[in-house]
Amino acid sequence: SIVLFSFNGISNFKEIVTLKSKEEFDPKMAKWIKAQTSKNSVFLIPIDLKTFYTDVERACFVTFKHCPHNSVDFIEWYNRLKILNKNMHIKNTGGLAIDEINFNYNRLTELEIMDIGKKYKIDYIITSSTTKLKFKKCFLSSKYSLYKLDSFFE
C-alpha cells in the first residue's frame, strides 16, 4: 500500500511512504488479548504490526499504516511516531522509517514507557519476546511479550 503526502515543515515525509508487509499478528496472543482485556484497552505496539488493530479489535497508540489525511491529525500522528522514536525527528521514509522507529521503540526505557502510558492512558505494551521489562508480564509468545502498565500509574 502506498500513501502520498506533503506537509509543510515536516520535510522528512515529503516523499512516497511505502509500507513493508508484515505477517499476521501472533494469533495466540491476539486470542488472549480479545478474551482477557477490556474492549476499551489501549496498546503501545511496534508500529509495523499492521494487522494488530483488526486482529484484536483494540485501540493502539499509533501505527505507521494509519496516517491521517487532515493536517491537525497528521501532526499528532507524526508527533506520536516521534515519541516512539525517542523524541527524535524521523530521518528515513517508508520501510526504513519503520525500522528506525522500531529500533528506538525497543530502546525505550521503563521510565519513558511509564511517561507515555500516563500521558496517553495506555494499558498495555507489546515488545519483542527478548525485551525484558519490570512491568507485569501478561503473555509471552515466541515473538512478543505483553506487559500491563496500569499498576504503575496509581
Side-chain angles (χ1 to χ4, degrees), residues 76-127:
E76 179 64 23
W77 173 80
Y78 181 79
N79 286 336
R80 288 181 182 215
L81 290 176
K82 271 181 41 182
I83 289 168
L84 298 186
N85 202 42
K86 295 187 74 73
N87 289 308
M88 295 184 288
H89 288 286
I90 301 158
K91 299 173 189 164
N92 296 295
T93 59
L96 293 176
I98 292 171
D99 293 342
E100 175 187 350
I101 296 164
N102 275 339
F103 174 79
N104 286 309
Y105 174 84
N106 289 318
R107 294 176 52 237
L108 289 171
T109 66
E110 290 165 339
L111 182 59
E112 290 168 325
I113 293 166
M114 287 175 24
D115 288 344
I116 297 166
K118 282 181 193 176
K119 182 174 181 180
Y120 293 95
K121 297 179 177 33
I122 294 171
D123 302 296
Y124 297 90
I125 181 171
I126 294 176
T127 65

Side-chain angles (χ1 to χ4, degrees), residues 41-60:
S41 296
V42 179
F43 289 76
L44 190 61
I45 65 170
I47 63 162
D48 60 345
L49 296 180
K50 292 183 353 177
T51 65
F52 176 87
Y53 179 77
T54 55
D55 290 345
V56 303
E57 301 170 2
R58 300 293 186 272
C60 43

Side-chain angles (χ1 to χ4, degrees), residues 16-61:
I16 295 174
V17 176
T18 306
L19 302 178
K20 289 167 55 172
S21 70
K22 184 81 172 181
E23 68 274 2
E24 176 186 33
F25 179 65
D26 184 302
K28 289 180 183 176
M29 184 177 280
K31 183 178 179 179
W32 189 93
I33 290 170
K34 286 176 83 170
Q36 301 296 324
T37 67
S38 164
K39 289 187 178 193
N40 297 324
S41 296
V42 179
F43 289 76
L44 190 61
I45 65 170
I47 63 162
D48 60 345
L49 296 180
K50 292 183 353 177
T51 65
F52 176 87
Y53 179 77
T54 55
D55 290 345
V56 303
E57 301 170 2
R58 300 293 186 272
C60 43
F61 175 67

